[in-house]
Amino acid sequence: MGRGDLTDVEWARLEPHLPKNSGRGGRWRNHRAVINGILFRQRTGIPWRDLPKRFGKWKTVHDRHRRWSADGTWDRILRAVQADADAEGRIDWSVVSVDSTVCRAHQHAAGARHRPAQIPGRDRRPVQHRPDEAVGRSPGGLTTKIHLASDGGCRPLSILITPGQWGDAPQLIPVLDRVRVSRPAGGHPRTRPDHLCGDKAYSSRRNRFYLRRRQIRHTIPERRDQRANRQRRGRRGGRPAGFDRARYTRRNEVERTINALKGFRAVATRYDCEDVRVPPRAVVWPEVRLALVP
């Protein structure tokens, strides 16, 4: 087993959720070797063609990663792993934090095809579709932004990819709407944390109204201009937002989750040129890897 490969414990948690060989046609190459190749590439950020031969053909590793990104296999695996972790009590719902991080996009990450590829006889519509490559221009150049919510154990619960110049506040609701942890025993998936923490970038009337409507207690500091505007309006400005300083210190958990994700160089710097039909999924395997940790 090489450095960074799946351990036996991680493989035992992951194997039941992987696609099985069924019906006629080609057979899947050993999933563990291919997944280790994907992890190696995400951890080092090397070009796909430079993968070591111990992982097999580079094209097999690359194509499986792209295929499972398009048909939603990665998302189903992540949801299944999260459900197992929640059933075992390893997900800490007491405080869920939200934050974002900007990833620099390499010059090779731009210029994807803007029209769907013509593949006769195949499904041309992926599970998720985005009209752009999630590459934007900000003062730092070409960038992509990752928005995520993580639990108290530094496990990612949901993730959203946007261009780098997009703001944080408008993405709070889409990120929370993606939190869906299934229950193996059946019933509705869990979507609501006990408490939410976020920095002042998420302070807006729209976000606070959304959280109150869903009965989610939250700790989000009020921006200085919003406080001054509320005080200027007097009684019509409403009451000040509550703030629990002791609970707010736990916001470091989402920052530690981001640091763990950015330990994968293909996440910290985006190298791939994404087809507009497929969402950028360079972070999916780091997500699964964090969810597998006991």
Side-chain angles (χ1 to χ4, degrees):
M1 184 177 68
R3 185 173 72 91
D5 289 352
L6 290 172
T7 65
D8 293 337
V9 175
E10 291 174 339
W11 175 247
R13 293 182 183 274
L14 184 63
E15 186 179 16
H17 309 302
L18 298 175
K20 305 292 191 300
N21 286 312
S22 61
R24 303 176 61 184
R27 313 292 290 179
W28 290 110
R29 177 180 166 81
N30 181 271
H31 282 318
R32 188 169 185 176
V34 173
I35 291 172
N36 284 335
I38 296 173
L39 283 172
F40 181 87
R41 192 270 167 179
Q42 303 296 352
R43 180 168 56 85
T44 61
I46 64 174
W48 288 98
R49 292 176 182 269
D50 295 337
L51 274 176
K53 294 187 179 300
R54 68 185 179 92
F55 300 117
K57 294 182 179 179
W58 72 268
K59 187 168 177 54
T60 300
V61 179
H62 171 267
D63 288 352
R64 192 167 308 179
H65 178 58
R66 294 290 294 166
R67 177 175 180 174
W68 286 0
S69 296
D71 64 13
T73 300
W74 288 143
D75 297 314
R76 289 192 294 270
I77 292 174
L78 179 61
R79 287 195 296 268
V81 171
Q82 288 174 340
D84 290 346
D86 190 37
E88 297 172 3
R90 293 187 289 116
I91 293 184
D92 183 3
W93 292 96
S94 61
V95 174
V96 170
S97 303
V98 293
D99 206 350
S100 68
T101 182
V102 173
C103 303
R104 186 68 180 268
H106 192 268
Q107 60 181 348
H108 295 162
R113 184 182 307 171
H114 287 270
R115 291 188 301 174
Q118 299 298 320
I119 307 177
R122 295 190 181 182
D123 185 10
R124 300 176 185 173
R125 296 186 60 187
V127 174
Q128 298 180 9
H129 173 80
R130 58 175 310 115
D132 57 18
E133 304 172 64
V135 175
R137 287 194 176 274
S138 54
L142 295 176
T143 53
T144 294
K145 183 175 284 189
I146 301 175
H147 308 262
L148 75 156
S150 72
D151 74 327
C154 300
R155 292 183 179 86
L157 296 177
S158 68
I159 198 162
L160 179 66
I161 309 295
T162 67
Q165 78 275 13
W166 285 25
D168 290 350
Q171 310 309 320
L172 174 65
I173 296 176
V175 168
L176 291 182
D177 287 343
R178 289 171 176 249
V179 177
R180 300 182 64 85
V181 178
S182 302
R183 306 175 192 266
H188 294 289
R190 177 156 188 177
T191 61
R192 188 172 58 182
D194 297 334
H195 201 96
L196 182 80
C197 283
D199 59 22
K200 65 176 65 175
Y202 296 97
S203 177
S204 70
R205 296 181 61 184
R206 177 172 178 263
N207 288 342
R208 296 184 189 276
F209 175 77
Y210 169 84
L211 294 172
R212 286 195 298 269
R213 181 172 58 83
R214 292 194 59 190
Q215 299 181 358
I216 300 176
R217 298 182 178 181
H218 55 279
T219 298
I220 300 176
E222 191 176 25
R223 288 171 41 185
R224 184 179 303 176
D225 59 335
Q226 294 174 351
R227 186 186 312 117
N229 182 55
R230 173 178 53 78
Q231 293 173 349
R232 185 171 57 252
R233 297 180 62 187
R235 291 184 177 181
R236 292 180 302 171
R239 293 178 298 178
F243 181 74
D244 186 345
R245 186 175 298 276
R247 196 183 296 269
Y248 185 71
T249 59
R250 293 191 59 182
R251 201 180 63 83
N252 72 87
E253 293 161 354
V254 68
E255 296 174 346
R256 287 154 52 196
T257 305
I258 290 174
N259 288 339
L261 289 174
K262 284 198 163 183
F264 292 78
R265 296 193 175 194
V267 176
T269 302
R270 180 176 168 185
Y271 297 105
D272 283 342
C273 180
E274 303 285 351
D275 192 322
V276 294
R277 301 176 304 148
V278 181
R281 298 303 295 169
V283 296
V284 67
W285 261 110
E287 277 191 275
V288 177
R289 190 63 180 270
L290 293 181
L292 287 171
V293 175

